[in-house]
Amino acid sequence: MKIVTRTTAINNLKKHIGKDLRKLALQYGITTYETGKQNKGWKGLVLERLAGLENNVSKAPNGLSYELKSVSFHEVKNKLTPKETMAITMINPEELKQHSFFESHCWAKLKSIVFCAVMWHGQNSESAELLKVASLDFAEDDDLIKEIKADYDFIREKLIKHGFESLTGKDGKWIQARTKGTGGINPRTGKRRPITRAFYARTSLVKKIFEIAS
């Protein structure tokens, strides 16, 4: 098994700061927009390749003891600002019921991360440079983590008391339980696809992480 330590992953990624991930995606044969429909995860796949990690869609952290996360940024009034939320992990309702925050995949994915900021030049842009690579570790008693735990506890309690259908993306100050997946009506069956949700870091949390990393 190939072992990539966090230090190695960071060093590998930092070699590519300022480089265009779109060109690297084409070089690695990773689909971006070539099919006419965006592969939403293409930047993450490229970054995992650059870090030396295998592409991993499981819920376990994708490094030995860290998670590689990336978010697109754009300039607002000459200041880099997160353009989007950051997916943390899919929600399994039964696991959410059973696991407290510090036992959860959500905490496992957040507590130790390698954070990559990528420039966003517009939808289906021909370029997307890697701006920044930073390593962060959170402790259970960090004030920010306490507030994120409060969000998780609220969402978990709501699920237990009122069911999965009661969850909305409006819940939570720092993290939210937003829909993720195809959704809508299945054209082959005419039936609505089941709703799936994931924990997302709101842009305010992404901004906070970016500030901590700077």
Side-chain angles (χ1 to χ4, degrees):
M1 183 178 72
K2 185 179 179 183
I3 296 175
V4 181
T5 65
R6 176 153 60 162
T7 301
T8 300
I10 292 168
N11 289 338
N12 288 343
L13 286 163
K14 283 187 173 179
K15 293 174 187 172
H16 299 279
I17 288 177
K19 293 186 179 177
D20 183 1
L21 298 185
R22 179 85 193 283
K23 289 181 181 175
L24 291 166
L26 296 174
Q27 184 180 317
Y28 290 133
I30 295 171
T31 303
T32 55
Y33 320 109
E34 290 78 12
T35 62
K37 185 178 179 182
Q38 182 181 186
N39 171 12
K40 290 184 178 179
W42 73 267
K43 292 172 190 170
L45 295 176
V46 173
L47 291 168
E48 287 191 351
R49 289 285 293 269
L50 297 179
L53 301 167
E54 297 294 328
N55 293 152
N56 182 358
V57 296
S58 77
K59 287 185 292 187
N62 58 14
L64 288 177
S65 58
Y66 56 93
E67 178 73 9
L68 177 62
K69 292 291 187 187
S70 65
V71 176
S72 291
F73 282 70
H74 60 160
E75 287 198 343
V76 178
K77 297 181 180 177
N78 296 320
K79 188 174 181 181
L80 281 174
T81 305
K83 188 217 163 263
E84 58 193 2
T85 56
M86 181 178 79
I88 301 172
T89 188
M90 290 299 295
I91 294 176
N92 177 312
E94 291 306 313
E95 290 181 358
L96 179 55
K97 287 178 186 174
Q98 294 169 14
H99 296 157
S100 67
F101 179 68
F102 292 120
E103 299 170 327
S104 71
H105 288 295
C106 185
W107 171 238
K109 292 267 188 177
L110 272 180
K111 66 182 178 183
S112 183
I113 61 176
V114 173
F115 180 79
C116 297
V118 179
M119 193 68 199
W120 186 80
H121 293 289
Q123 191 171 11
N124 297 348
S125 171
E126 292 293 324
S127 61
E129 301 86 8
L130 177 59
L131 296 171
K132 187 180 188 68
V133 179
S135 176
L136 293 102
D137 289 289
F138 292 103
E140 293 186 6
D141 59 353
D142 284 344
D143 289 340
L144 178 61
I145 294 302
K146 288 178 183 175
E147 293 189 13
I148 293 172
K149 178 182 178 298
D151 287 345
Y152 179 94
D153 290 344
F154 177 86
I155 293 166
R156 182 180 179 222
E157 189 70 15
K158 191 174 180 183
L159 169 70
I160 292 170
K161 286 185 176 176
H162 305 292
F164 187 72
E165 296 73 18
S166 71
L167 303 184
T168 79
K170 295 179 181 176
D171 299 328
K173 175 184 176 183
W174 297 106
I175 61 172
Q176 58 183 159
R178 221 178 68 198
T179 54
K180 182 178 175 66
T182 306
I185 304 296
N186 186 328
R188 288 187 298 177
T189 64
K191 295 181 179 177
R192 182 170 291 280
R193 298 184 181 92
I195 293 174
T196 53
R197 291 184 180 274
F199 280 115
Y200 279 82
R202 292 187 181 277
T203 53
S204 55
L205 177 55
V206 175
K207 182 182 176 192
K208 192 85 172 173
I209 290 172
F210 186 69
E211 289 171 353
I212 293 170
S214 298

